[in-house]
Amino acid sequence: MAAAAETVDREAGRLTELDAAIGDADHGANLRRGFAAVARVLAEEPPATPGAVLVAAGRQLISTVGGASGPLYGTLLRRAGKALGEAGEVSRAELAEALAAGVAAVGQLGGAAPGDKTMLDALTPAVAALPGSFAAARAAAEEGAAATVPLRARKGRASYLGERSVGHQDPGATSSALLFAALEEVAAG
């Protein structure tokens, strides 16, 4: 989560630029604030298990990040953390299964599906690729985010723009890809 906070901090300007085109220009700033708070909370009181880390991070994002991003990322992490349970160590396959539960919860909460030009366009292929490798998950997330450019947004604030959302990369899919990039960097070592 510390690596995710660093990545979001580094890329916050780009996320805000993407959001300025089809949203309300606060995605980068909101995520920067939220992930900085997550890193602080986890450093002050480190949870004992990977599942507890994700639950605590999700809780912090829900309470810190405005707009839809806080509840969506918070739901993703909390549901994944609950799926991991109290295990002291988890395999990549177990993490993928837990994240799949989180992605399903995000889809339910937002009423979105892949192809709607949302974070699910990066999360869904990344989670599907994760059992293969962390690098494959990162690549799938990045490809999924890039594939949102030609899509017309059907959910979220960008959907209000109709055809004007076409030609812009979705900021939520982009931030989701950044989280998989941070995961892959930590796993690589």
Side-chain angles (χ1 to χ4, degrees):
M1 296 304 339
E6 290 172 16
T7 300
V8 167
D9 183 59
R10 185 176 61 247
E11 298 290 333
R14 181 167 71 102
L15 293 173
T16 295
E17 285 176 26
L18 291 171
D19 196 34
I22 60 173
D24 50 7
D26 65 354
H27 190 63
N30 280 343
L31 286 187
R32 175 187 275 156
R33 183 177 59 254
F35 277 93
V38 166
R40 260 192 320 277
V41 165
L42 295 178
E44 290 169 4
E45 211 172 305
T49 65
V53 167
L54 295 180
V55 169
R59 188 177 309 118
Q60 189 63 39
L61 290 173
I62 289 170
S63 68
T64 309
V65 178
S69 297
L72 292 170
Y73 275 117
T75 295
L76 171 70
L77 296 178
R78 287 179 62 206
R79 187 65 56 95
K82 288 178 183 177
L84 290 176
E86 298 300 316
E89 291 184 20
V90 297
S91 68
R92 190 173 59 244
E94 290 166 330
L95 178 60
E97 190 174 308
L99 287 172
V103 169
V106 167
Q108 271 189 320
L109 179 64
D116 285 343
K117 195 175 186 119
T118 70
M119 64 196 298
L120 292 178
D121 291 305
L123 291 173
T124 302
V127 169
L130 185 56
S133 71
F134 289 109
R138 176 185 186 159
E142 290 171 351
E143 289 169 18
T148 64
V149 173
L151 298 177
R152 177 181 175 177
R154 292 188 290 226
K155 295 291 178 184
R157 182 177 289 273
S159 68
Y160 304 147
L161 298 176
E163 286 299 320
R164 291 182 298 153
S165 67
V166 174
H168 301 281
Q169 187 163 314
D170 183 70
T174 305
S175 60
S176 295
L178 291 174
L179 298 184
F180 274 91
L183 178 62
E184 193 260 339
E185 288 170 15
V186 169

